[in-house]
Structure formats: C-alpha cells, structure tokens
Amino acid sequence: MSVARFLRQRAVRIQTVGTYTLPNWYDPQGKLRSFACRTTRVSPFRALLDVPVVGKVGDRLTSYFRDFGKFEGEISDTVHGGFLLELEMTRAERAKLAEKLVWLEKKQKDPTIRDSRREARFVPNSPHSELTLADGSCIPCLVIDASMSGAAVSAAVQPEIGTPLAVGSCIGRVVRHFPDGFAVRFVDTIPASSELERRVITPPTRPTRQKLVTQHADERSVETPQDFFLV
C-alpha cells in the first residue's frame, strides 16, 4: 500500500518512540545495527514511521515500541525520512492492537492525563533534524528526545565518544553510545525551554515528495471494512 492511500484510512495519530533493524546494516562487531524510530500513524494493519535511515520497499524488518511491543513486517512504501510498515499479525493480534489503539486515542484526548517526564525531557513534534560535523558535512538524524543540556540522537553514523558536532544549531560532544543511537551533551545549556525545539530541530532539505500525490489505479476503490479497526 502507498503512504498516500494510508493517509486516507482510519488510523490513530500517535507518537511513540521505538527501535528497528534493517537488513544488511551491521555495526563494527558484525551485529545487526539498531536505529531509533517514532510512529506517526498506526492502524491494526500498518504503521507510518519517522526514521533516520530509510530502507527499501520490500525490506523485512523487526521493530519494538514501548506502547505496542514488537512489530514485524515489510516496507510497502517510503517517503523522505520515513516508511510505511505492513504489519504481520494473526487476526487475534490485530484485534488486540485495535483495542490498544482505541484506548490510546481516548487517553490522548483526556486533558487530565499528564506525562510528568515532559518537563525533564522534550520530545519534538517533528523529530527530523541535522547533524553538522567538524568538517562541515551534514547528516540527517532523528532526535529521540532532548533536554536543556543535551539530546539523544539516532543517525546513519555513530560518531566516536568525544566527537564535536552540532544537533541543529546546538554545539556539543558525543558523550555516550546506546544500541540505537548516541547522546550529545551541549557545550552551553539552553537558557529557556521555549527555545529548545527551535534550536535542536533543523529539518534537512527535503526532496519533492511525489509519491504522496501519486494516485494508482488500484487505490481509487472505496476502502473495505477490513481496512479499518476491528472494534
């Protein structure tokens, strides 16, 4: 299925941080490398993910999310900075996921529920930013979260600890590695939380997203009930 068609379907807009592995991406030890990712829309059949490294259509992968657990499936379409994952599940697993999504959607609309961690760690609305290395080269990245003093980042590269770089316009150094990315400590603490997103997020140049406006002949039909929630 294309991203354009999925955007017309019933799904829950939810931002949940997770991890994923792609085929043929290995770390220096020869193990499959893990990257951070974030959901943007999820249904019981597929999920649209923001990612630092986009795979190819047909790639099979495994991902894990705090709110959902493990997702396995195949990439059916890609966009700049993301891809659409077709979820491989049994009917019972889809029904369970549908119930979970309905509950999460209700939770999002309840203003009395507060995430106490938001004051300490900031999760940007748009996670795509850019790393600038000391030689001037720029690399797209995904900001997992950030605080006034640093950020957790995932990218196609994993600079050595101590490497100077900038996340958006915030200059810092790599201080720690973790399985799906690395932590950067800023040289100067950001003085106000209101500046955090503006300073940390510098969207990379985006190519024309023709796929989103392309309509295929097989996408003009009306959606069947199976394309929507089971509950």
Side-chain angles (χ1 to χ4, degrees):
M1 177 177 289
S2 70
V3 170
R5 183 178 178 186
F6 179 58
L7 293 177
R8 298 195 298 269
Q9 289 189 330
R10 171 85 164 98
V12 174
R13 294 182 61 85
I14 185 168
Q15 298 175 346
T16 297
V17 174
T19 62
Y20 71 104
T21 57
L22 285 171
N24 302 318
W25 277 83
Y26 297 95
D27 63 18
Q29 288 71 45
K31 297 180 180 179
L32 276 176
R33 187 168 166 201
S34 179
F35 299 97
C37 60
R38 194 175 75 172
T39 61
T40 60
R41 298 181 89 245
V42 183
S43 82
F45 300 90
R46 48 195 60 88
L48 185 59
L49 308 181
D50 278 327
V51 298
V53 178
V54 179
K56 302 186 296 294
V57 171
D59 278 352
R60 299 179 61 81
L61 57 88
T62 298
S63 57
Y64 181 84
F65 299 91
R66 178 191 60 199
D67 288 336
F68 305 115
K70 184 167 69 172
F71 280 167
E72 293 185 342
E74 181 176 300
I75 297 175
S76 62
D77 196 10
T78 63
V79 292
H80 183 69
F83 56 73
L84 183 63
L85 181 65
E86 300 290 329
L87 305 179
E88 295 180 354
M89 294 180 172
T90 64
R91 184 175 181 83
E93 289 171 336
R94 290 193 199 281
K96 184 176 180 180
L97 175 58
E99 292 176 357
K100 180 75 169 180
L101 288 168
V102 170
W103 180 83
L104 287 170
E105 190 172 40
K106 291 179 180 177
K107 182 181 177 182
Q108 285 185 139
K109 294 177 181 178
D110 186 348
T112 66
I113 298 175
R114 180 183 178 191
D115 187 350
S116 60
R117 296 174 301 170
R118 290 289 176 87
E119 294 180 358
R121 304 294 298 181
F122 163 74
V123 179
N125 290 324
S126 176
H128 292 289
S129 189
E130 199 164 60
L131 300 175
T132 303
L133 305 183
D135 63 1
S137 59
C138 296
I139 300 170
C141 69
L142 185 140
V143 177
I144 301 169
D145 58 31
S147 70
M148 310 278 274
S149 60
V153 177
S154 187
V157 299
Q158 193 166 45
E160 294 182 359
I161 291 175
T163 300
L165 49 75
V167 182
S169 63
C170 296
I171 298 172
R173 288 184 180 274
V174 177
V175 294
R176 182 168 59 89
H177 289 165
F178 43 88
D180 50 354
F182 53 94
V184 176
R185 180 177 296 159
F186 301 146
V187 173
D188 298 316
T189 300
I190 298 176
S193 58
S194 59
E195 295 185 30
L196 197 54
E197 183 164 15
R198 179 178 61 81
R199 296 277 303 277
V200 171
I201 300 299
T202 302
T205 303
R206 299 172 67 89
T208 302
R209 298 174 65 176
Q210 291 182 325
K211 282 199 171 187
L212 285 179
V213 298
T214 300
Q215 187 179 54
H216 302 288
D218 62 350
E219 294 177 3
R220 295 169 187 161
S221 58
V222 177
E223 299 295 339
T224 64
Q226 286 74 23
D227 288 321
F228 294 84
F229 286 169
L230 303 176
V231 294

